[in-house]
Amino acid sequence: MHNETQLRKQIMEGTLQSFNYKGLKFTMDDVAHTLGISKKTIYTVFPNKKKMFFDLVDYLFDEIKEEEEKVMNDDSLSTVEKIRKILGVLPNSYKELDLRQLYVLKDNYPDVYEKVEHRLESGWENTIALLEQGMKEGTVRPIKIPILKMMLEASLEQFFRRDILVQNKITYQEGLDEVVEILVDGILV
């Protein structure tokens, strides 16, 4: 069982590498080649590319949640610094990924896109707790949290729906950082 978990993780990382080179046009052959394993081995874990994408969404968002936990447990950061970091969290291993390619997901893999939307809209407990803490401390002005949440979700969903980042030669990380900067600086006292 442990080996299958390791193999699954290895395939997810190989998928990310292949995606980075070829966007959504990568093939199972590309992943196998990247990892130096047989395509047959990949098919023992993932019956098809769609299932691979589906699981990749959870894999990416679970990694983001792990990074969030690190931010939450970092006592060297102020509440506002934690808010800034948690809103713009992207694991280091994904900093080089060309996530701008994801805008083609909606047309090619609508159910995978729906899963991305669902993951963007859930898991806000840490962020909400920090915002409430900031308001209590007086470092964040009183805001309507559902509005801030909607603004960030809508911004990120636009990254996944349109090629605005690609057209403007902006990386996903730069786009995310800019959105966070605008949102956070707009809520500071």
Side-chain angles (χ1 to χ4, degrees):
M1 187 65 180
H2 181 64
N3 284 348
E4 187 180 323
T5 306
Q6 276 182 307
L7 179 61
R8 176 176 285 277
K9 184 174 169 58
Q10 182 185 3
I11 293 170
M12 291 282 94
E13 290 297 325
T15 302
L16 287 170
Q17 287 174 33
S18 299
F19 168 79
N20 210 28
Y21 290 121
K22 292 196 170 181
L24 290 178
K25 290 183 173 74
F26 78 86
T27 63
M28 293 294 227
D29 281 322
D30 293 326
V31 178
H33 179 75
T34 297
L35 295 173
I37 62 176
S38 74
K39 197 160 71 167
K40 190 173 155 191
T41 303
I42 294 172
Y43 281 118
T44 64
V45 180
F46 296 103
N48 54 48
K49 189 172 164 183
K50 186 174 170 185
K51 173 71 173 136
M52 189 185 277
F53 271 140
F54 220 73
D55 288 10
L56 189 60
V57 172
D58 283 329
Y59 182 74
L60 285 166
F61 277 94
D62 291 348
E63 294 270 316
I64 288 169
K65 289 293 159 204
E66 279 180 34
E67 292 294 318
E68 271 188 17
E69 285 306 315
K70 289 179 191 169
V71 171
M72 291 300 288
N73 296 323
D74 186 344
D75 295 331
S76 73
L77 299 173
S78 71
T79 303
V80 170
E81 289 168 327
K82 285 183 180 184
I83 291 169
R84 191 181 296 277
K85 277 191 176 280
I86 212 164
L87 288 175
V89 78
L90 199 61
N92 280 336
S93 53
Y94 303 149
K95 298 256 192 258
E96 300 306 310
L97 265 185
D98 192 359
L99 294 173
R100 301 174 306 172
Q101 304 278 345
L102 291 176
Y103 76 90
V104 296
L105 254 188
K106 190 168 173 34
D107 294 333
N108 298 19
Y109 297 93
D111 45 349
V112 176
Y113 176 77
E114 262 181 47
K115 186 170 189 156
V116 169
E117 273 189 322
H118 171 74
R119 289 297 302 256
L120 280 174
E121 292 165 7
S122 60
W124 277 80
E125 299 77 18
N126 285 336
T127 310
I128 290 169
L130 284 173
L131 290 166
E132 288 171 344
Q133 182 180 334
M135 285 187 258
K136 205 178 291 174
E137 292 171 356
T139 53
V140 172
R141 74 173 174 81
I143 61 165
K144 291 176 178 40
I145 293 174
I147 300 300
L148 178 79
K149 180 178 178 283
M150 181 223 36
M151 289 168 70
L152 185 62
E153 286 170 4
S155 297
L156 297 181
E157 283 174 13
Q158 285 302 307
F159 290 169
F160 293 120
R161 281 190 185 171
R162 300 171 51 204
D163 63 351
I164 189 165
L165 296 176
V166 174
Q167 282 186 354
N168 293 286
K169 294 178 177 59
I170 300 170
T171 67
Y172 182 83
Q173 184 68 58
E174 288 169 340
L176 179 60
D177 290 346
E178 185 76 12
V179 168
V180 170
E181 193 174 309
I182 291 165
L183 287 175
V184 173
D185 290 340
I187 64 171
L188 294 184
V189 171

